[in-house]
């Protein structure tokens, strides 16, 4: 099945691209060196880089963590289904490409609320013929619209384990909405499922991250940081995979990958906490 067969939008009204203010998916695209962004996104990225010169390294390090977490879920957890909420603009290798290298039958549903992501997903999210990819345009503050989407129900079997990916997403949501999203999604998947989170924190450099948050708030794109303990609380009731909640470069680093572009000096360069956990229970 090819991804173009499963492009489902929960929106029924004309959408506003809101190009006059930064969007998380497009801002991330700027930091990764992409070209699917607008002037407002580039201005916001410049402000972030002024306060956090390591922001580009942060983006690449977070992406590398996501890929390692996917490989772990596939190879060690036997996962063959992924729900990637806040998927962002496609950048190769995409999640399904990473997973399908080890398990071509893997099925992936991408979710984002930016219509631009939909356009690019049509062209670039093409599955291995043994698996499937799909895209749902939905709002992460309304988990029901995700779980009830036709593509989710048709492409994923929610009676079988699913890896729920919430990477660089939750800090863009009001804290209560983020916690509710985690709970509803993990309640909807069976034992043996995984939860993968990467989240902005001010633990390492409170002043710089606060300045970034203030700039983004002025640009009508607020963020909400969490402490390490607060990120850990998002995994309540799940079994954290070692080494637990750590900075992304410390979660099972892949020494075979060329990380020369990262030039990391310490935690201050990567103001993120990440973690991977498995849902326990019978059959898990």
């Amino acid at each position: 099945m090819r991804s173009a067969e499963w492009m489902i939008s929960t929106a029924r009204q004309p959408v506003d691209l809101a190009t006059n203010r930064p969007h998380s998916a497009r801002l991330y695209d700027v930091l990764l060196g992409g070209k699917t962004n607008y002037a407002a996104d580039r201005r916001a990225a410049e402000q972030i880089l002024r306060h956090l010169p390591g922001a580009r390294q942060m983006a690449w390090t977070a992406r590398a963590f996501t890929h390692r977490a996917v490989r772990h879920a596939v190879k060690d957890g036997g996962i063959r289904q992924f729900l990637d909420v806040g998927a962002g603009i496609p950048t190769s290798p995409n999640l399904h490409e990473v997973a399908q290298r080890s398990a071509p039958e893997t099925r992936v549903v991408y979710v984002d609320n930016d219509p631009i992501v939909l356009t690019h997903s049509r062209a670039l999210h093409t599955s291995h013929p043994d698996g499937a990819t799909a895209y749902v345009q939905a709002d992460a503050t309304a988990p029901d619209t995700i779980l009830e989407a036709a593509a989710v129900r048709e492409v994923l079997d929610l009676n079988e384990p699913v890896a729920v990916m919430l990477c660089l997403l939750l800090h863009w949501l009001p804290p209560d909405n983020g916690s509710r999203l985690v709970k509803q999604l993990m309640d909807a998947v069976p034992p043996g499922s995984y939860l993968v989170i990467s989240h902005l924190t001010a633990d390492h450099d409170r002043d710089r991250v606060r300045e970034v948050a203030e700039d983004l708030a002025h640009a009508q794109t607020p963020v909400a940081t969490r402490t390490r303990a607060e990120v850990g609380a998002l995994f309540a009731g799940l079994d954290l995979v070692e080494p637990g909640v750590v900075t992304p470069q410390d979660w099972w680093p892949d020494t075979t990958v060329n990380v020369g572009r990262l030039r990391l000096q310490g935690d201050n360069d990567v103001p993120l906490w990440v973690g991977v956990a498995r849902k326990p229970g019978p059959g898990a």
Side-chain angles (χ1 to χ4, degrees):
M1 180 182 298
R2 299 176 68 86
S3 60
E5 298 174 20
W6 286 104
M7 291 297 155
I8 308 297
S9 170
T10 62
R12 293 292 180 263
Q13 302 297 324
V15 293
D16 178 6
L17 294 179
T19 59
N20 61 327
R21 64 177 184 269
H23 185 281
S24 57
R26 302 191 303 256
L27 184 52
Y28 190 42
D29 182 68
V30 176
L31 294 175
L32 289 174
K35 299 184 183 302
T36 310
N37 48 72
Y38 294 95
D41 307 303
R42 294 188 287 274
R43 285 194 299 270
E46 289 171 2
Q47 291 175 325
I48 290 173
L49 288 164
R50 185 171 67 250
H51 300 305
L52 291 172
R56 294 190 189 278
Q57 291 91 330
M58 178 187 76
W60 283 107
T61 307
R63 184 172 176 80
F65 155 73
T66 299
H67 290 175
R68 296 196 302 276
V70 168
R71 291 195 295 268
H72 170 82
V74 171
K75 294 179 180 180
D76 297 331
I79 294 294
R80 297 296 183 267
Q81 303 187 109
F82 288 82
L83 179 62
D84 185 11
V85 184
I89 293 163
T91 303
S92 188
N94 294 287
L95 188 155
H96 70 278
E97 295 170 312
V98 174
Q100 290 177 351
R101 284 173 185 167
S102 300
E105 70 276 22
T106 299
R107 304 165 75 82
V108 179
V109 175
Y110 294 101
V111 180
D112 207 287
N113 69 341
D114 188 345
I116 290 177
V117 176
L118 171 61
T119 301
H120 287 268
S121 292
R122 284 194 177 107
L124 299 176
H125 280 161
T126 303
S127 173
H128 187 284
D130 292 341
T133 60
Y135 176 81
V136 174
Q137 185 182 317
D139 190 337
T141 64
D144 288 345
T145 66
I146 298 171
L147 294 170
E148 294 169 3
V152 171
R153 294 295 176 176
E154 294 290 341
V155 175
L156 303 182
D157 180 354
L158 297 184
N159 293 311
E160 296 294 328
V162 178
V164 176
M165 311 294 293
L166 302 176
C167 296
L168 297 182
L169 168 70
L170 295 175
H171 47 252
W172 299 106
L173 306 178
D176 288 347
N177 287 16
S179 299
R180 185 172 68 251
L181 174 68
V182 171
K183 185 178 189 309
Q184 283 194 239
L185 294 183
M186 295 312 295
D187 282 351
V189 296
S193 294
Y194 278 75
L195 173 64
V196 179
I197 291 174
S198 54
H199 199 295
L200 183 69
T201 185
D203 285 356
H204 310 315
D205 196 330
R206 185 169 301 278
D207 290 341
R208 289 188 177 188
V209 174
R210 186 187 68 246
E211 290 168 346
V212 169
E214 289 174 353
D215 283 347
L216 289 171
H218 288 316
Q220 302 177 60
T221 310
V223 295
T225 62
R226 279 181 168 90
T227 65
R228 187 179 192 178
E230 289 168 337
V231 172
L234 294 170
F235 295 101
L238 307 177
D239 295 333
L240 269 169
V241 174
E242 291 295 334
V245 177
V246 295
T247 53
Q249 68 269 31
D250 292 326
W251 198 91
W252 291 103
D254 187 346
T255 57
T256 67
V257 174
N258 181 4
V259 294
R261 75 168 80 189
L262 302 179
R263 299 186 182 88
L264 298 176
Q265 301 300 316
D267 288 346
N268 288 356
D269 287 323
V270 189
L272 299 171
W273 291 122
V274 306
V276 177
R278 191 165 185 256
K279 184 173 181 176

